[in-house]
Amino acid sequence: MNSLPPAVQQRIPRSTRQDAATIGLIGLAHACSHFFHLLLPPLFPFFIQEFGLSYTELGLLVTLFFTVSGVGQAAAGFLVDRTGARPVLFAAMALFAMAGLATALAPGYSGLMLAAALAGLGNAPFHPADFTILNHRVSANRLGHAFSVHGIAGNLGWAAAPVFLTGLAAATGSWRVAAACTSAVALTVLVVLWVNRSSIDDRWALQGDDDAKGTPRLQPSAGQHPLAFLSLPSVWLCFSFFFWTTCSLGAIQGFASPALVTLFNLPLAITAWVVTGYMLCGAVGMVAGGFWVTRSARSEQLIGPGLLTSAALLCVVGSASLPGWLAAGLTALAGLGVGFAGPSRDMLVKRAAPAGATGRVYGTVYSGLDLGFAVAAPVLGFFLDRGWAASVFYVAALTLAMGVASARLVGWVSNKR
């Protein structure tokens, strides 16, 4: 740990090693957050078999998770700005560990609802906490890469969860053992963060030379109301962007696998890997997007090509005009364009955030992500229960196009401001 006082540390330029440590730790935490997004969905077939649940009921579990997360995320932004992000991050990891145990011990639907609520509460602080730490600890010239790593880590968490849970359930013969093991994942990440806690200490911002007196970052601007940022149109346009693009992601994550089974009669053993492939392609896209966003002053211009290309691929899959194996491959490949847009998306939010309100803005904007998941899950579950499998891909494509429109408006408003 660095024993220098914060006021002295502020005068020391950030080294590549220091930035890498912060970026790596926040990436690990974000991967764990996304891993717990999928605490329940990979186990849906087991829940159907053991508890006799429908896709609509299972979709409502996802809705509960993201409703709790969305409401909590908006509140967490204020908490992060007031107390700092680090302790909030520690508490979130503990909640994830509790959610894993609640899943393993669930006696029925009510127990699964408790697990979904605990996991949603744990997920709530991540985006305001993560981006507050990154924005205040990482050098400006590495921030685009930090956002890229952050997004890649999240995709890897999404990709790992289905393999981890279904693999352990198959190996042990018990989905409850697999769920219990997720608690060990959360506790391990918590230990790593605690041991390296100095690298994610956000209590003091790295200010310029003209502000090196050790002024706390958390001190609000004089005369500014804490809710003043809510009057900015760019904040709500970013919210709408996250809502639309997450509706698309929710369609793929929760329902692409059973939809491919219905449309193309593919075995579940193959379609279960489509979500993992989508996330891995997304991670590759984010690597490229992280380099491009550092070269562009207009990040919204990079979002459109990526999302619209992915939307076109999903429409082709929904038409059911291709062989099943090719449709599964195109679904996974669609993640590439979505991933490419990821770092530009995060830079777009940064441009929309006024000084001193980073946590609040990210908390509010990213609650659109939670709302998108919460709305998409029961709607698409309802469609699947009625055999409308192609709607999964058409809805995913349409909402990506809506996201492009929102991003364009954010860029226009931010540039005008």
Side-chain angles (χ1 to χ4, degrees):
M1 293 179 59
N2 195 332
S3 59
L4 294 175
V8 176
Q9 292 182 40
Q10 287 191 50
R11 302 185 183 99
I12 303 175
R14 299 290 297 176
S15 69
T16 301
R17 183 175 179 180
Q18 289 172 316
D19 280 351
T22 299
I23 293 169
L25 290 167
I26 294 303
L28 177 63
H30 193 225
C32 188
S33 166
H34 281 220
F35 180 92
F36 275 86
H37 284 191
L38 298 181
L39 171 64
L40 299 179
L43 301 176
F44 280 176
F46 298 98
F47 299 155
I48 292 173
Q49 183 178 3
E50 184 158 339
F51 302 128
L53 303 177
S54 69
Y55 278 110
T56 302
E57 289 172 311
L58 295 172
L60 288 173
L61 289 176
V62 178
T63 296
L64 176 60
F65 174 99
F66 285 106
T67 298
V68 172
S69 178
V71 174
Q73 187 161 195
F78 290 88
L79 183 63
V80 165
D81 282 339
R82 179 175 293 274
T83 67
R86 187 175 64 174
V88 180
L89 212 55
F90 293 157
M93 289 298 171
L95 285 166
F96 281 154
M98 294 169 61
L101 288 177
T103 303
L105 299 173
Y109 193 63
S110 60
L112 296 176
M113 291 180 69
L114 173 62
L118 286 171
L121 192 59
N123 186 65
F126 270 89
H127 285 115
D130 288 358
F131 283 111
T132 294
I133 293 172
L134 291 177
N135 278 311
H136 288 286
R137 287 195 64 93
V138 175
S139 304
N141 62 324
R142 300 188 186 104
L143 203 51
H145 299 297
F147 291 162
S148 179
V149 170
H150 184 265
I152 291 168
N155 271 35
L156 293 178
W158 273 331
V163 177
F164 181 92
L165 285 161
T166 57
L168 272 178
T172 63
S174 171
W175 63 266
R176 294 183 185 274
V177 172
C181 287
T182 62
S183 293
V185 172
L187 292 175
T188 300
V189 174
L190 176 57
V191 169
V192 172
L193 294 177
W194 175 260
V195 170
N196 298 280
R197 58 191 178 277
S198 62
S199 294
I200 55 172
D201 185 359
D202 67 312
R203 291 175 300 173
W204 299 82
L206 295 171
Q207 306 290 350
D209 292 336
D210 60 337
D211 189 21
K213 298 180 180 180
T215 304
R217 171 183 62 80
L218 301 172
Q219 181 178 346
S221 301
Q224 186 179 59
H225 193 278
L227 297 177
F229 73 97
L230 293 177
S231 65
L232 296 175
S234 56
V235 171
W236 294 109
L237 287 170
C238 285
F239 177 94
S240 70
F241 172 79
F242 275 85
F243 171 78
W244 291 118
T245 55
T246 306
C247 283
S248 176
L249 179 58
I252 299 301
Q253 272 191 352
F255 304 100
S257 177
L260 288 170
V261 172
T262 301
L263 285 175
F264 301 99
N265 199 29
L266 292 172
L268 187 62
I270 292 178
T271 62
W273 282 89
V274 169
V275 173
T276 296
Y278 183 93
M279 298 308 164
L280 291 176
C281 285
V284 173
M286 285 178 187
V287 174
F291 283 97
W292 277 96
V293 74
T294 59
R295 303 176 182 179
S296 175
R298 298 286 301 276
S299 53
E300 72 278 5
Q301 293 181 346
L302 300 178
I303 292 174
L307 296 190
L308 291 177
T309 300
S310 295
L313 291 177
L314 293 172
C315 283
V316 172
V317 174
S319 69
S321 59
L322 300 173
W325 63 269
L326 183 55
L330 288 182
T331 303
L333 191 62
L336 194 65
V338 175
F340 180 82
S344 298
R345 170 201 70 184
D346 296 330
M347 195 65 76
L348 198 66
V349 180
K350 177 177 171 58
R351 287 171 57 195
T358 304
R360 282 166 281 170
V361 169
Y362 276 101
T364 300
V365 165
Y366 270 86
S367 64
L369 181 150
D370 297 299
L371 181 62
F373 275 122
V375 170
V379 171
L380 289 166
F382 176 84
F383 288 169
L384 269 184
D385 281 336
R386 278 148 187 79
W388 304 338
S391 65
V392 171
F393 303 102
Y394 290 132
V395 167
L398 175 63
T399 50
L400 284 179
M402 296 296 292
V404 172
S406 294
R408 282 300 219 178
L409 287 172
V410 173
W412 181 77
V413 169
S414 296
N415 290 330
K416 185 178 180 180
R417 188 182 68 187

